[in-house]
Amino acid sequence: MNIQNAMVEDMGRDQRKEREFNLRRAAILDIAEGIFAGKGYFGTTMAEIAEASGFAIGSLYQFFESKEDLYKTVITEKVHLMQTKIRQDVSREETSPGKIRALIHSHFDFVQRNEGFFTILLRWEGISESNGKKALLQTLLANREDYLGFIEEILASGMARGELKEDKPRPMALALLGMMDAFAFDWLIAPGKASLMTSVPCVLALYFNGVKGHEVS
């Protein structure tokens, strides 16, 4: 075997190892999310996550240095995944009203498909009164500000093109995000709930048309 072939074989082996590592890590995150959602942070142990994942507890620490690290990763990576998915869905629309519809639909669809994760956020036990908890909160606030800025850009663009009524985009973005959060929260705590997607037309109607037939002074 010449040097070039050996290098190609080594690269292939490394790629397989990396792919296997990432698959195992993703599986641990999925299982941990379900357990954290059901039992809470303080009611969950690394030993039970390891057992549910099919790993020895020592192997689990090869992926995450602590329960706090695992918990923070579950939250931050899922929030990132949500924002990435919503941006992709919105980007397929050309008009601002279409982007707003896609935004609401994608936001609600993600909440409905990840109910356990949003149960974790609703509980918000935190992890401890430590720098870790403060760092997680700061990360979530930064992600929310980024999401709000994304909505604001959609609205500002629509206003500039005459597709939306001219107004201040920041408060209008806050209003839309607040409505989506309120509907999602109500759905998460409601027993025997219907699909969250049935609320999409209501949010659209309220946001685009308001609740009165004329302007309020």
Side-chain angles (χ1 to χ4, degrees), residues 1-2 37 46-47 49 53 60 76 149 163:
M1 180 182 297
N2 60 37
M46 287 291 271
I49 293 173
S53 304
L60 199 63
T76 55
E163 294 174 338

Side-chain angles (χ1 to χ4, degrees), residues 101-120:
R101 290 186 183 92
L103 173 77
I104 297 169
H105 188 282
S106 185
H107 186 111
F108 283 1
D109 181 65
F110 197 91
V111 171
Q112 184 163 281
R113 291 176 183 274
N114 295 274
E115 184 177 355
F117 169 70
F118 287 95
T119 299
I120 295 174

Side-chain angles (χ1 to χ4, degrees), residues 18-90:
E18 182 179 1
R19 185 165 54 248
E20 184 176 335
F21 178 89
N22 289 335
L23 287 172
R24 290 179 176 178
R25 182 179 181 277
I28 293 169
L29 287 171
D30 283 342
I31 289 168
E33 179 183 316
I35 297 175
F36 283 134
K39 303 184 71 174
Y41 175 79
F42 296 108
T44 299
T45 66
M46 287 291 271
E48 105 186 273
I49 293 173
E51 182 178 359
S53 304
F55 289 94
I57 190 166
S59 299
L60 199 63
Y61 285 104
Q62 295 176 5
F63 296 89
F64 304 97
E65 61 184 33
S66 64
K67 184 173 75 167
E68 181 175 305
D69 178 42
L70 176 53
Y71 181 81
K72 287 160 57 179
T73 304
V74 165
I75 292 176
T76 55
E77 292 198 3
K78 185 55 71 76
V79 168
H80 176 72
L81 179 63
M82 177 181 183
Q83 293 195 9
T84 300
K85 177 67 168 61
I86 291 172
R87 287 172 184 267
Q88 289 173 345
D89 291 343
V90 169

